[in-house]
Amino acid sequence: MLRIGTVGFLWVWRILVLLQLSSGILGWGREGHYATCRIAEEYLTKEAKAAVKELLPNSAGGDLASVCSWADEIRHSYHWHWTGPLHYVDTPDFKCNYDYCRDCHDLAGNKDRCVTGAIYNYTKQLMEFDRGSYSAATYNLTEALMFLSHFVGDVHQPLHVGFTGDEGGNTIIVRWYRRKTNLHHVWDNMIIDSALKTFYQSDLTNMIEAIQRNITDGWSNDASSWGNCASNQTACPDPYAAESIKLACKFAYRSATPGSTLEDDYFLSRLPVVEQRLAQGGVRLAATLNRIFASGDRVAAA
Ligand code: ADE
Ligand code: ZN
Ligand code: ZN
């Protein structure tokens, strides 16, 4: 039998913990992105559905939700390294408001390189498809669709609009029940994972259906206007980011100081926030795609 001894075991343990922590830099986890895009699919118009189907890679099997984590899967590869800052936008420490001009830049200060800037950019690219001026040589619109669908999810994760100093909670080490992790990872994955186990028989479809019922019944008064954008814009990620930092201050950072243990109280009071953000992400992604692919003057594939 293989014996690695105490020192070896400690190293293996450290590597496992490191792997777990570093995965916290991703967006919502796979489940969160899948849920957001599944919800969006329900609200697509016929035109948008057709355009999405045309743009999806063959590997998606016609299902948008299956490619909504693609942007996270590629971001650590050399070729896509530049996309890292497009997953989030951070505010100055302890500022619970968001300002595009002040906050949307990467670490080197390049403007527009943040999650809201990326949503504007990929929306603009996809509008070309709608105008029929699409040429494969200009942009890869399959990638644009996959990026847009992912980033609309990300901007709804409150800690993707967090404070610069703690990297949106990534450097705040906490315990989630008995497990050591970081606050960002709690919001990307742990709240959803615990909800699946506790309330949804570990079946993501059950959770998505419960959220969908809440959209049509529970939150219906508000939900009917979630998809709207002010002043005829096609995409409007700025108010979503402003909501996120407000929620980060009120729910994510509150009572989650370094070294704290988060359990039932935190879990049960924050889960409704997570579920509503997944719902808003889905409804707003659909509304954005519906506007992008709405105009009738497309000379496309007919
Ligand atoms: N890296 C730095 N800030 C981040 C944030 N808010 N979300 C994800 N990754 C980050
Ligand atoms: Zn994340
Ligand atoms: Zn992401």
Side-chain angles (χ1 to χ4, degrees):
M1 204 176 98
L2 183 67
R3 282 202 63 223
I4 55 174
T6 319
V7 176
F9 174 78
L10 264 177
W11 272 109
V12 171
W13 182 248
R14 268 182 203 146
I15 289 164
L16 284 175
V17 168
L18 262 178
L19 279 175
Q20 201 215 324
L21 287 180
S22 67
S23 67
I25 311 167
L26 304 174
W28 289 117
R30 273 200 74 80
E31 284 84 6
H33 281 291
Y34 189 89
T36 298
C37 286
R38 244 285 127 74
I39 292 162
E41 287 178 298
E42 291 288 313
Y43 293 93
L44 291 178
T45 57
K46 216 167 92 237
E47 288 83 3
K49 239 182 231 160
V52 165
K53 204 169 153 206
E54 211 176 305
L55 287 174
L56 280 177
N58 289 335
S59 60
D63 180 24
L64 178 64
S66 71
V67 295
C68 282
S69 290
W70 171 79
D72 277 337
E73 286 154 19
I74 54 139
R75 79 183 266 195
H76 296 292
S77 70
Y78 178 77
H79 178 72
W80 292 107
H81 199 67
W82 61 274
T83 62
L86 305 184
H87 292 255
Y88 60 90
V89 55
D90 289 335
T91 68
D93 289 355
F94 314 118
K95 279 241 178 307
C96 297
N97 57 43
Y98 155 86
D99 178 337
Y100 185 93
C101 290
R102 182 191 67 194
D103 303 329
C104 190
H105 52 76
D106 63 14
L107 287 176
N110 297 302
K111 297 222 57 85
D112 305 319
R113 295 200 172 237
C114 81
V115 66
T116 43
I119 290 170
Y120 285 122
N121 172 55
Y122 290 113
T123 298
K124 206 164 127 226
Q125 290 188 14
L126 287 166
M127 296 290 281
E128 306 262 315
F129 176 77
D130 198 49
R131 278 199 297 273
S133 53
Y134 163 48
S135 113
T138 331
Y139 303 120
N140 183 330
L141 295 186
T142 297
E143 288 171 7
L145 173 67
M146 297 195 291
F147 276 130
L148 179 67
S149 305
H150 180 89
F151 294 143
V152 172
D154 275 352
V155 76
H156 282 82
Q157 205 281 50
L159 285 175
H160 274 239
V161 193
F163 301 143
T164 308
D166 57 47
E167 297 173 25
N170 272 299
T171 64
I172 300 179
I173 307 302
V174 295
R175 266 178 207 284
W176 181 250
Y177 294 89
R178 296 170 59 189
R179 270 176 91 151
K180 202 167 169 184
T181 179
N182 70 62
L183 186 61
H184 189 94
H185 194 68
V186 166
W187 281 78
D188 270 351
N189 300 278
M190 305 295 235
I191 296 175
I192 295 174
D193 285 355
S194 295
L196 286 169
K197 289 199 195 94
T198 313
F199 299 116
Y200 299 110
Q201 297 83 44
S202 296
D203 184 343
L204 185 55
T205 306
N206 290 340
M207 182 168 184
I208 293 169
E209 284 171 0
I211 294 174
Q212 281 165 332
R213 277 195 299 276
N214 257 331
I215 295 173
T216 48
D217 308 340
W219 302 314
S220 59
N221 274 343
D222 301 327
S224 57
S225 60
W226 282 347
N228 297 350
C229 279
S231 55
N232 276 335
Q233 296 172 92
T234 309
C236 49
D238 287 331
Y240 315 158
E243 291 167 356
S244 271
I245 183 63
K246 288 266 176 310
L247 293 169
C249 288
K250 192 167 169 193
F251 294 102
Y253 286 122
R254 190 162 293 173
S255 43
T257 46
S260 56
T261 297
L262 308 175
E263 39 202 349
D264 284 359
D265 281 352
Y266 192 93
F267 171 48
L268 295 172
S269 54
R270 274 55 172 186
L271 177 59
V273 177
V274 168
E275 295 195 331
Q276 184 169 107
R277 292 310 270 168
L278 296 174
Q280 290 176 317
V283 168
R284 287 162 169 175
L285 172 60
T288 307
L289 293 171
N290 288 345
R291 282 187 290 265
I292 292 173
F293 299 118
S295 40
D297 58 355
R298 235 185 102 215
V299 247

